[in-house]
Amino acid sequence: MKYHQRILILDDEEALRSIIAQRLKRKGYEVLEAGTAREGLQFLHDTLLDGVLLDLRLPDGDGLEVLHRLKDVQPDLQVVMLTGHGTLESAIEAMKAGAFDYLTKPCNLSELELTLLKALEQRKLLVENTGLRQVVSRQTPELRIIGESPKLLALLELTRKVALSDAPVLIQGESGVGKELIARAVHLWSPREHQAYVPVNAGAIPESLMESELFGHEKGAFTGAGGQKIGLVEIADHGTLFLDEIGEMPLALQVKLLRFLEAGEFRRVGDSRLRRVDVRIVTATNRSLAEEVEQGRFRKDLYYRLNGLTLHVPPLREHKEDILPLAEYFLYCKTKTHTSEAACVLAPETRSLLIHYDYPGNVRELIHLIERGMILAGEGIIQPWDLWPENTFAPDLHPRPIEEKPSQYSCQNPESSALLPASEHYPTLEQVERQHILSTLQRVNGNRAQAAKLLDISVRNLYRKVEGYSLAEK
């Protein structure tokens, strides 16, 4: 929800206040006016301000004293001093006290407007930098979504349309399907792409700290609150806040989140003043929120507020055409990231098994399988036993029709001589070497010269091993 920045003009010249106020209102600012220090300080305690235009001389107080009071209550507030009796000494003193700039009256309205704009930009940077120091830094890598299956392409097309709206988005799907990747796509494909993207796992924050993490707190708000803390909602101002595992959010906090979604307003813990930000909310869950509502664990009104725009990320088993492209991409990324890792390839039987596996852990499980395979692979070729522990080497796979040339070592034939017996806890060195030579020969259609080159052994040595392992007839 977009809001107007709130500016206080604190000056005893009513005519000047009126001229400046009209100019700022035309530019979209919300303007408050006060003619005395008392009135101005009352605004300060009752209202959250973004900027102040402050006269150096007021009927009931000194502008510099007021400046100190302003900065004590709202440290990130930006103040531009105005005076018709300016001296170099007073300007220096004002800047030392925390004023952003110092203008003499009568001031050029265009110059004043530009100075105020710079002051507000400075405030935004201070808030962001302070907030980012309070949270764990998370890399936001370049968005890469791999795959061209009809289901995935349909999801991406819908995501692009949804991204153009400012409405809340609910992303549903099993654990490990890539919901955060879709959330980042919503942000990067939206008009907010150059603003902050703040991800937070609602299930990973203790309930007692959740409100403070989201909305921030003031110094002394509770035991242990030794300083002011800017919440994640405020850090994400003008950008996107991604709340993962929204189904884990406590009911008490769901009420406050609902209010924020409806009004764009919130209060820091320990502060009575309302704050307003312009944030796009994206949420995700692997639960059925409709069932959570029925069980009384999730508010119905919040559920209806969140699911206006819903994206469902399908499990990997429902778009198997993307498995091998994903596996190859992960192999490439791991090799590129870890230069010490040798380049690896997937053996033909490994590719077939990968396609037919059902992935209860979805894409996340595929990533872990590839990482394991790269560590355990011999001679740079990832065999099936490099991916699954030996005691589960022949997993309970359910083959489905797929446009892939069937392998004689597919899961449809778990008793094939290419697979080690599942009952053996560890394959022997002889078994591993025999299988590796056999797989290599099959890759090169029996060409022993090419096989010897891939295995980095002499052709004579290969012939001896072929005869020793009785592979001549294979």
Side-chain angles (χ1 to χ4, degrees):
M1 178 177 294
K2 194 151 188 171
Y3 75 97
H4 301 291
Q5 290 171 302
R6 186 178 291 150
I7 308 300
L8 171 63
I9 305 174
L10 182 47
D11 194 299
D12 62 341
E13 296 183 38
E14 185 175 353
L16 178 62
R17 290 203 315 265
S18 179
I19 293 172
I20 295 176
Q22 290 178 18
R23 175 76 175 238
L24 294 182
K25 287 177 182 177
R26 286 198 298 268
K27 295 296 183 179
Y29 294 104
E30 180 182 342
V31 180
L32 305 174
E33 297 182 46
T36 65
R38 181 179 179 180
E39 292 175 351
L41 291 174
Q42 188 63 44
F43 274 124
L44 177 70
H45 288 283
D46 296 340
T47 310
L48 187 72
L49 302 171
D50 295 293
V52 178
L53 300 177
L54 174 61
D55 190 4
L56 187 61
R57 295 187 180 182
L58 296 167
D60 59 342
D62 179 72
L64 289 177
E65 292 180 3
V66 176
L67 173 62
H68 284 290
R69 296 281 298 278
L70 291 171
K71 299 297 283 187
D72 284 342
V73 178
Q74 296 187 32
D76 55 357
L77 186 62
Q78 296 301 303
V79 181
V80 177
M81 304 298 295
L82 303 175
T83 182
H85 312 280
T87 65
L88 180 60
E89 290 75 14
S90 62
I92 292 174
E93 191 174 352
M95 299 298 283
K96 285 182 177 179
F100 177 79
D101 209 340
Y102 188 100
L103 301 177
T104 56
K105 298 188 289 187
C107 54
N108 181 286
L109 291 181
S110 296
E111 181 184 5
L112 183 146
E113 183 185 324
L114 180 60
T115 301
L116 179 61
L117 181 62
K118 290 179 179 178
L120 295 175
E121 290 177 348
Q122 176 69 15
R123 179 181 182 274
K124 185 173 183 291
L125 287 174
L126 286 173
V127 170
E128 287 179 351
N129 290 338
T130 303
L132 290 174
R133 287 196 297 269
Q134 297 171 168
V135 297
V136 177
S137 176
R138 294 186 64 174
Q139 296 291 331
T140 304
E142 178 187 358
L143 183 67
R144 297 294 297 273
I145 300 178
I146 306 300
E148 295 186 355
S149 64
K151 280 200 171 184
L152 182 62
L153 294 179
L155 171 64
L156 297 182
E157 179 63 25
L158 183 58
T159 302
R160 288 186 183 277
K161 293 178 180 178
V162 165
L164 298 178
S165 165
D166 250 357
V169 178
L170 174 63
I171 303 173
Q172 294 184 308
E174 297 177 9
S175 179
V177 293
K179 295 186 292 294
E180 183 169 351
L181 196 62
I182 297 300
R184 196 156 60 240
V186 170
H187 173 71
L188 293 178
W189 294 343
S190 77
R192 300 171 181 264
E193 61 175 315
H194 299 300
Q195 304 299 326
Y197 170 75
V198 180
V200 55
N201 189 326
I205 302 174
E207 184 174 344
S208 59
L209 299 177
M210 179 76 75
E211 183 178 359
S212 172
E213 286 294 319
L214 281 182
F215 300 119
H217 65 248
E218 294 297 320
K219 182 178 180 180
F222 50 84
T223 303
Q228 185 188 72
K229 177 184 179 66
I230 296 175
L232 297 172
V233 164
E234 212 166 338
I235 295 171
D237 190 16
H238 300 294
T240 302
L241 178 67
F242 173 52
L243 296 173
D244 199 3
E245 304 299 345
I246 188 66
E248 304 285 345
M249 181 171 284
L251 282 168
L253 194 57
Q254 290 178 29
V255 178
K256 297 184 178 181
L257 178 61
L258 178 62
R259 174 181 171 77
F260 172 69
L261 286 169
E262 292 178 338
E265 298 176 335
F266 69 97
R267 288 185 175 90
R268 288 180 184 169
V269 178
D271 192 359
S272 61
R273 291 166 300 184
L274 281 175
R275 297 171 184 267
R276 294 182 294 172
V277 290
D278 172 22
V279 174
R280 174 56 168 311
I281 298 292
V282 178
T283 56
T285 180
N286 57 14
R287 298 183 179 185
S288 169
L289 289 189
E291 293 181 6
E292 294 295 300
V293 169
E294 290 181 5
Q295 297 296 324
R297 293 190 292 263
F298 201 84
R299 291 182 62 93
K300 182 184 293 187
D301 46 7
L302 179 58
Y303 170 62
Y304 288 128
R305 191 72 176 81
L306 291 176
N307 79 338
L309 295 173
T310 303
L311 298 172
H312 178 74
V313 185
L316 188 55
R317 62 183 173 273
E318 292 184 6
H319 54 112
K320 288 185 171 257
E321 307 95 313
D322 297 327
I323 292 174
L324 291 182
L326 282 167
E328 297 288 356
Y329 176 71
F330 297 147
L331 278 174
Y332 167 76
C333 288
K334 296 297 180 184
T335 303
K336 185 177 180 181
T337 304
H338 306 288
T339 54
S340 60
E341 296 278 2
C344 291
V345 296
L346 299 168
E349 54 269 32
T350 306
R351 296 169 67 88
S352 180
L353 286 171
L354 284 173
I355 289 173
H356 292 101
Y357 186 47
D358 265 351
Y359 299 95
N362 291 293
V363 179
R364 185 181 296 133
E365 183 178 5
L366 176 60
I367 295 174
H368 292 162
L369 285 174
I370 296 302
E371 289 177 339
R372 173 186 169 88
M374 292 184 70
I375 294 171
L376 300 181
E379 303 294 333
I381 302 175
I382 299 177
Q383 302 290 352
W385 54 82
D386 296 324
L387 302 184
W388 288 278
E390 288 72 15
N391 59 344
T392 58
F393 176 63
D396 182 17
L397 305 173
H398 306 285
R400 294 178 175 82
I402 196 78
E403 292 184 7
E404 174 79 1
K405 184 178 179 181
S407 167
Q408 60 177 314
Y409 304 115
S410 73
C411 56
Q412 300 180 54
N413 185 18
E415 301 300 324
S416 167
S417 61
L419 301 183
L420 298 178
S423 59
E424 293 189 19
H425 190 63
Y426 291 105
T428 65
L429 181 61
E430 181 178 300
Q431 287 175 312
V432 172
E433 185 178 63
R434 181 183 187 282
Q435 173 57 34
H436 184 44
I437 293 174
L438 176 60
S439 299
T440 305
L441 285 168
Q442 290 169 339
R443 286 182 61 201
V444 296
N445 297 320
N447 188 315
R448 297 189 180 185
Q450 290 184 30
K453 186 174 181 181
L454 288 173
L455 295 168
D456 197 22
I457 59 176
S458 67
V459 175
R460 180 179 297 178
N461 193 5
L462 175 60
Y463 270 87
R464 285 202 301 267
K465 290 181 180 294
V466 165
E467 292 176 0
Y469 290 138
S470 302
L471 297 176
E473 68 278 7
K474 301 293 182 183

